[in-house]
């Protein structure tokens, strides 16, 4: 069975440009999470969805960030406009239910904003 | 609020050495505890877990015991290999079932 699939794996862009990161969760998983990982701040939860509905977006840093889940098999994280401080690895993860504590992570999207 | 504290890295060991990575937690309820591992260039993956006091989680030669009296969940392995080089994250689920993460400990194993 395929795991969580993220694209692109690497993205280099210039400040001010729009960035869209994509995620396909594991089929049958009702929960989807977006995380950001940096050396300085570690692993941060940005937002999570249950059955395609955003449940908690309190971790989204500011209005430049937005996330959608139009259906059970696809989610996007968009940054517009991007800034150098957004440079990080962005992970998508999916889960049957958070009570299990078992999240399945994608390989991440490494974003560099110049 | 709930929190997880891990020993700072990097931890550097020689192959076949004994490994301990310390993890302590603060929680208001009775959390489940987890160790995740992140190999270079990959996402995190669950290594082991324990859901109640005195439970021992184990996988791939790694073990950790849920110690309520010391609020600890230390990761151990008897003989490490170069392939164990990775970043290890301790975590707990809070009362809302959200994962609270430690900062991660980088492990470097030298041949």
């Amino acid at each position: 069975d395929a795991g969580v699939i993220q694209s692109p794996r690497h993205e280099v862009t210039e400040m001010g440009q729009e960035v869209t990161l994509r995620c396909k969760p594991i089929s049958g998983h009702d929960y989807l999470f977006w995380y950001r990982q940096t050396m300085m701040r570690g692993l941060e939860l940005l937002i999570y969805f249950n059955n395609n509905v955003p449940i908690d977006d309190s971790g989204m840093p500011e209005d430049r960030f937005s996330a959608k889940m139009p259906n059970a098999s696809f989610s996007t994280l968009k940054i517009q406009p991007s800034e150098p401080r957004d440079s990080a690895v962005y992970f998508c993860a999916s889960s049957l239910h958070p009570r299990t504590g078992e999240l399945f992570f994608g390989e991440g999207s490494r974003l560099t904003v110049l | 609020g709930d929190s997880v504290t891990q020993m700072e890295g990097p931890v550097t060991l020689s192959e076949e050495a004994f490994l301990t990575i310390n993890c302590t937690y603060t929680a208001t309820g009775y959390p489940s505890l987890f160790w995740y591992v992140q190999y270079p260039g990959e996402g995190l993956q669950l290594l082991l877990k324990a859901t109640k006091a005195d439970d021992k989680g184990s996988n791939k030669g790694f073990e950790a015991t849920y110690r309520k009296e010391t609020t600890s969940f230390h990761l151990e392995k008897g003989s490490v290999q170069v392939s164990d080089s990775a970043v290890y994250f301790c975590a707990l689920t809070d009362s809302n079932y959200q994962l609270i993460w430690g900062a991660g400990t980088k492990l470097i194993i030298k041949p």
Side-chain angles (χ1 to χ4, degrees), chain A residues 17-21 34-38 41 44-47 49 54 56-68 76-91 109 111 113:
Chain A
Q17 296 299 304
E18 178 180 290
V19 174
T20 299
L21 308 178
W34 282 101
Y35 281 89
R36 178 171 69 177
Q37 185 178 39
T38 61
R41 300 173 69 93
E44 302 173 277
L45 176 64
L46 301 177
I47 185 172
F49 295 82
D56 184 355
D57 65 354
S58 59
M60 296 286 262
E62 47 197 275
D63 291 345
R64 297 185 298 106
F65 285 69
S66 62
K68 295 182 179 180
T76 60
L77 178 67
K78 187 174 293 188
I79 308 172
Q80 166 64 15
S82 58
E83 296 182 4
R85 59 194 168 119
D86 301 331
S87 297
V89 181
Y90 291 82
F91 287 102
S109 295
L111 173 64
V113 183

Side-chain angles (χ1 to χ4, degrees), chain B residues 15-75:
Chain B
E15 208 166 16
E16 299 184 1
F18 184 87
L19 167 71
T20 299
I21 299 178
N22 290 336
C23 171
T24 57
Y25 68 90
T26 302
T28 53
Y30 302 94
S32 294
L33 302 174
F34 306 85
W35 277 101
Y36 276 76
V37 58
Q38 183 180 25
Y39 297 104
E42 298 184 11
L44 285 73
Q45 56 185 278
L46 180 65
L47 180 60
L48 54 84
K49 70 176 186 181
T51 57
K52 61 183 187 296
D54 299 325
D55 267 2
K56 176 185 285 188
S58 61
N59 186 24
K60 299 181 180 180
F62 290 89
E63 294 183 340
T65 300
Y66 190 141
R67 302 286 189 198
K68 188 168 179 287
E69 63 276 12
T70 55
T71 61
S72 65
F73 193 54
H74 303 323
L75 183 68

